Amino acid sequence: MDAVRNTPAEAAPRKQPLSDRAKAERRLGFWLAGPAFIIMLAVTAYPILLALWDSLFKYRLTAPDDRAFVGLGNYATILTDGLFWRDLGVTVLITVITVVVELILGFALALVMNSALKAVRGWLRTAILVPYGIITVVSAFAWFYAFDINSGYINSWFSWVPGIDPDLNWFADTWTALFVIMASEIWKTTPFISLLLLAGLAQVPGELTEAAEVDGATWWQRMSRVIIPNMKAAIMVAVLFRALDAFRIFDNVYIMTNGAYGTEVLSLLAYRTSITRLEIGMGSAVSVLLFICVIIICFIAIKLFKVDLSGARGGN
Amino acid sequence: MPKDARHWGRSRKGARSAVGVALALGATLLTGCGSDEGAAPTLTWYINPDAGGQAELAKQCSDASNGAYTIETSLLPNDAASQREQLARRLAAGDKSMDIMSLDPPNVPEYAEPGYLAPVPDDVAERTTQGVLEGALAGAKWKDEVVAVPFWANTQILWYRKSVAEAAGLDMSKPVTWDQIIEAAKSQDKYIGVQGARAESMTVWVNALVASAGGTIVENPDASADEIQLGLDSDAGKQAAEVVSTIGKEGLGGPGLPTQTENTSMVQFQGDQGSFMVNYPFVWPATNASVEEGALPESLIDDIGWTLFPAMNEGEDTAPPLGGINLGVGSNSQHPDLAYEAIECIVSPENQAQYFETNGNPPSNEAAYETPGIEETFPMAPTIRDSLELAVPRPQTPYYNEISTGIQQTWTPPSDVNPDTTPATSQEFITEVLRGEKLL
């Protein structure tokens, strides 16, 4: 109220005092939203703040008496360790490759779904969505068993492909293991991107494409000059969502290699340090760094690429 | 009682009737609690997955207690690392339900050091360690004190295909060395079954190799993290690395070696390329079951032989890996006395023999091997017993997990192991991790 009184009259019109009804509605709003807000604080802000606090200590769960304040010591150890940077590199590599491939495949699938005959459209969408409906852990096991040298069938099915023979141990080498991990990730989440892009395609006004067609634009010109620029918001939202998702990859790596042979990602490092080593301090520091990376990705996407999050809902 | 409450409610109105109802409910609850006090306390036993043997023993011992206690089992995750994680978290959180726990021997010091285990009463320790095989007993101690009760013990023996050994001219009635089996497998163009995956099985193998060569991975196991001295960078470590490196580099472990665990090496051994394999006794019931199902030829059973884990040097004793389960009691358990009473029942030699016969896990008590019928089910029981006498536990230190993970990361894949550099690199890496200077 004071703020309203102090506002110069020429800068903003003087606000009318709230009516009783408006006050009651506002109060009701607080009552309705308050519990959700408190729960959100409890389940998100509290663990984050606790992780920040814990990351300042040398603290091991099975040595509670040896807890010691080390300030930013854990961060110094992590940031000067090659393992952290290697894991970050692997995570970024997986993120970039999977998102790019998913974007291309997802767009192709969205085009197919968009132009499919009405009679088969529903079936097509369902079929494309099947991988996305499978729990990630289950799909990771399925891919693992398919490629495993003992139980897998890939080596015998694809022995005609150069480089693939019965003795190829996919999970014993960084690049072959990463290939399987990324392939399973792409298989699993391309449907998600294709659905988002399909929503974007549906938003492109039909008059624009018709006008371009009448003007004699080729398929490629219509695509690059009319359709893609008009669905930029949907594309950027799809990229942001998937990039965040891919950056936090865990299940596939955990099940297929458990991080062995140069396939470890950041979230697995955080898990191993906190849960397996029971080093709560160091593990919290890794988690905080992972969280900062996620914030940076959000910042880059929203500020630099001007992602309009409302695009995900199909509005402006 | 409810009748009284109704009467009170009629004569008084409003709040008083509510108080009456509350009092009546309270009284009922108190009566309920009173009757519970006479019931047998329920002890929770956190068990590792098996073929139902521990649940059966829990039932038998509950019955035998004549109402003194009832044991309920609670299943831990599948692999040893996840079991350790869950137990450590519960113990650190002061969970009062940790009455009995099935503990992997190398994890015992980690729980004993911060006082998470209830002390074993002297008389219980004396009774339950009588006749326990040397290796198994070593895995139940921390700082020379018995802190857990040995239940069953596990050890690796050398399994071999009689046909391959014969063709290679190897006399398996005498102790064999790693060099001999490497030469034999090479001459017959067969694979040796070892566990080369980046998993705990790698630590088990390296520890056995180093110990067999007369070395030790940790020289002062009860030291603090920054004072631990490692013995990897030694002649014994170099000899161990030579074995791992030769098998890896010469492809003697097969193409699956870098991801091979106990189960996958068994499958390889059962196949046409099988020759020699170091592995636990579960191989025998598993192979028999596969033969009965028709998945493997009957002739395979007659072709399988067994002897002690290979020695590193001719004429010297071998030091086979030790595994198994010890039983511990959480320091926050509300019934430690009853828990130890139950443990005494569970680990009796008769129960250990029963568990061996039904679930294939070898007893830790020598007397159990004398039980009639054991050798019919497990003809290799005497070899297992001899192996347990020689077995050497993995480093018994609260920092075993760090040491084990450090070994896994530096000794895999086996083909990358270099006898001249790997032991020293591994030692330096683990030392830095223990000092908190490096990530793991």
Side-chain angles (χ1 to χ4, degrees):
Chain A
M1 279 307 167
D2 285 341
V4 173
R5 256 202 312 274
N6 294 337
T7 310
E10 63 275 17
R14 193 182 175 83
K15 281 188 182 172
Q16 293 295 316
L18 287 174
S19 66
D20 285 349
R21 183 183 170 158
K23 278 182 190 164
E25 278 179 354
R26 180 181 280 189
R27 214 167 24 245
L28 179 66
F30 278 125
W31 277 111
L32 290 174
F37 181 70
I38 291 168
I39 289 171
M40 278 294 286
L41 274 185
V43 299
T44 56
Y46 174 71
I48 291 169
L49 292 175
L50 189 65
L52 265 172
W53 176 248
D54 281 340
S55 70
L56 305 176
F57 288 85
K58 179 173 183 254
Y59 173 39
R60 183 189 168 86
L61 203 61
T62 48
D65 299 336
D66 297 341
R67 186 179 166 122
F69 182 79
V70 289
L72 298 175
N74 287 330
Y75 292 97
T77 306
I78 295 166
L79 294 172
T80 52
D81 197 310
L83 180 68
F84 173 78
W85 296 105
R86 193 198 68 192
D87 288 2
L88 179 65
V90 171
T91 313
V92 171
L93 181 81
I94 291 176
T95 306
V96 171
I97 293 183
T98 54
V99 171
V100 168
V101 175
E102 283 172 23
L103 205 58
I104 296 167
L105 285 178
F107 193 66
L109 287 174
L111 284 175
V112 171
M113 284 193 280
N114 196 40
S115 51
L117 287 174
K118 267 193 181 162
V120 293
R121 201 173 281 174
W123 288 103
L124 192 62
R125 284 181 195 180
T126 311
I128 286 173
L129 264 178
V130 165
Y132 197 59
I134 293 172
I135 299 162
T136 313
V137 174
V138 175
S139 85
F141 270 118
W143 280 76
F144 170 74
Y145 286 124
F147 281 83
D148 181 47
I149 190 165
N150 295 298
S151 62
Y153 52 83
I154 295 292
N155 283 357
S156 56
W157 278 18
F158 294 93
S159 54
W160 49 272
V161 177
I164 298 182
D165 60 65
D167 286 351
L168 176 59
N169 192 346
W170 293 84
F171 300 111
D173 177 77
T174 309
W175 296 110
T176 48
L178 281 178
F179 171 79
V180 183
I181 288 166
M182 288 192 284
S184 69
E185 186 77 359
I186 291 165
W187 176 81
K188 171 84 179 56
T189 44
T190 300
F192 172 71
I193 281 214
S194 69
L195 269 195
L196 282 181
L197 295 181
L198 180 64
L201 267 180
Q203 281 176 44
V204 179
E207 312 88 71
L208 289 182
T209 43
E210 278 168 24
E213 209 168 350
V214 170
D215 288 347
T218 60
W219 180 86
W220 176 246
Q221 283 169 331
R222 271 178 287 153
M223 201 54 73
S224 58
R225 304 270 175 88
V226 180
I227 295 175
I228 292 177
N230 271 293
M231 52 184 292
K232 189 190 158 204
I235 293 173
M236 293 319 294
V237 167
V239 168
L240 173 64
F241 281 13
R242 268 306 299 147
L244 287 178
D245 218 20
F247 196 81
R248 292 179 288 113
I249 182 173
F250 179 85
D251 319 41
N252 282 337
V253 184
Y254 180 75
I255 285 159
M256 292 191 207
T257 62
N258 199 14
Y261 307 132
T263 58
E264 189 168 81
V265 288
L266 272 189
S267 51
L268 193 60
L269 178 68
Y271 169 83
R272 280 204 310 107
T273 315
S274 301
I275 310 292
T276 310
R277 287 186 62 196
L278 307 166
E279 290 279 359
I280 305 298
M282 189 80 85
S284 297
V286 178
S287 304
V288 169
L289 290 171
L290 180 63
F291 178 66
I292 291 171
C293 291
V294 169
I295 301 256
I296 291 172
I297 293 178
C298 285
F299 180 81
I300 291 174
I302 293 171
K303 291 288 176 194
L304 299 186
F305 296 118
K306 296 188 173 59
V307 172
D308 178 8
L309 285 173
S310 60
R313 296 196 301 268
N316 286 315
Chain B
M1 198 63 73
K3 196 179 171 185
D4 290 347
R6 277 201 302 274
H7 177 74
W8 243 41
R10 275 192 213 111
S11 58
R12 307 277 193 273
K13 295 282 180 189
R16 284 190 184 176
S17 66
V19 171
V21 171
L23 280 173
L25 274 172
T28 314
L29 283 172
L30 279 174
T31 322
C33 288
S35 64
D36 266 357
E37 271 168 22
T42 301
L43 304 173
T44 311
W45 179 11
Y46 286 89
I47 57 168
N48 58 310
D50 63 2
Q54 289 174 102
E56 179 57 32
L57 289 179
K59 191 174 169 296
Q60 284 177 18
C61 286
S62 297
D63 293 345
S65 77
N66 290 323
Y69 55 79
T70 308
I71 308 172
E72 263 183 14
T73 55
S74 180
L75 197 61
L76 289 167
N78 254 331
D79 62 300
S82 308
Q83 289 164 21
R84 167 187 163 270
E85 286 158 21
Q86 186 178 140
L87 289 172
R89 282 205 301 274
R90 283 176 179 271
L91 287 168
D95 189 335
K96 289 179 180 166
S97 74
M98 315 298 282
D99 298 314
I100 308 172
M101 297 171 287
S102 290
L103 305 172
D104 212 7
N107 301 333
V108 167
E110 194 176 20
Y111 304 141
E113 179 65 13
Y116 289 162
L117 297 181
V120 186
D122 290 343
D123 55 330
V124 174
E126 201 185 316
R127 286 194 294 268
T128 54
T129 53
Q130 261 176 14
V132 169
L133 295 157
E134 201 54 45
L137 186 57
K141 285 182 174 176
W142 171 236
K143 292 184 173 169
D144 288 332
E145 259 187 57
V146 175
V147 291
V149 176
F151 172 29
W152 60 272
N154 216 353
T155 187
Q156 287 193 357
I157 57 176
L158 176 67
W159 302 88
Y160 60 92
R161 299 286 286 266
K162 291 174 186 166
S163 53
V164 178
E166 200 180 316
L170 209 53
D171 180 4
M172 298 303 290
S173 64
K174 292 177 186 160
V176 288
T177 63
W178 279 100
D179 286 344
Q180 284 175 311
I181 65 167
I182 285 172
E183 280 309 314
K186 212 190 290 185
S187 71
Q188 300 305 305
D189 199 18
K190 302 278 184 190
Y191 295 146
I192 296 177
V194 282
Q195 292 83 48
R198 186 169 287 187
E200 210 199 343
S201 53
M202 191 70 207
T203 312
V204 170
W205 188 24
V206 171
N207 185 61
L209 291 176
V210 171
S212 295
T216 171
I217 290 180
V218 179
E219 287 170 355
N220 52 345
D222 50 3
S224 61
D226 45 6
E227 284 171 5
I228 282 185
Q229 300 285 323
L230 299 183
L232 277 171
D233 190 11
S234 60
D235 287 344
K238 190 176 177 184
Q239 252 192 297
E242 268 162 10
V243 171
V244 177
S245 164
T246 307
I247 293 177
K249 284 200 171 82
E250 300 194 17
L252 291 170
L257 181 63
T259 52
Q260 197 148 279
T261 57
E262 290 90 348
N263 210 43
T264 42
S265 48
M266 176 184 74
V267 173
Q268 187 191 64
F269 174 77
Q270 291 165 340
D272 295 339
Q273 289 292 93
S275 63
F276 303 88
M277 172 180 67
V278 285
N279 215 330
Y280 294 104
F282 81 95
V283 166
W284 187 245
T287 309
N288 275 287
S290 297
V291 169
E292 272 170 34
E293 281 171 14
L296 291 170
E298 269 189 58
S299 57
L300 178 67
I301 293 294
D302 295 330
D303 195 31
I304 293 180
W306 49 82
T307 184
L308 284 177
F309 194 83
M312 196 61 104
N313 301 309
E314 213 173 330
E316 286 180 15
D317 267 347
T318 172
L322 173 79
I325 287 292
N326 298 326
L327 298 181
V329 176
S331 54
N332 277 317
S333 162
Q334 293 184 307
H335 311 285
D337 296 342
L338 284 178
Y340 277 115
E341 205 180 309
I343 285 176
E344 273 199 73
C345 168
I346 293 166
V347 304
S348 70
E350 304 79 57
N351 283 345
Q352 289 192 22
Q354 175 193 319
Y355 193 54
F356 188 26
E357 278 194 273
T358 55
N359 281 244
N361 293 323
S364 62
N365 198 305
E366 197 169 8
Y369 288 88
E370 309 305 324
T371 310
I374 285 276
E375 277 194 53
E376 283 165 29
T377 322
F378 287 93
M380 67 290 307
T383 307
I384 295 171
R385 187 191 53 215
D386 294 346
S387 181
L388 283 170
E389 282 288 0
L390 297 165
V392 172
R394 281 157 276 168
Q396 295 288 102
T397 151
Y399 304 98
Y400 169 73
N401 182 60
E402 272 73 12
I403 292 165
S404 172
T405 314
I407 289 172
Q408 292 165 36
Q409 298 204 358
T410 44
W411 290 66
T412 55
S415 56
D416 282 0
V417 170
N418 181 341
D420 294 326
T421 56
T422 301
T425 316
S426 183
Q427 176 156 318
E428 194 187 337
F429 175 62
I430 296 168
T431 309
E432 283 177 336
V433 167
L434 288 172
R435 288 190 193 134
E437 296 163 0
K438 252 190 177 312
L439 282 172
L440 188 59

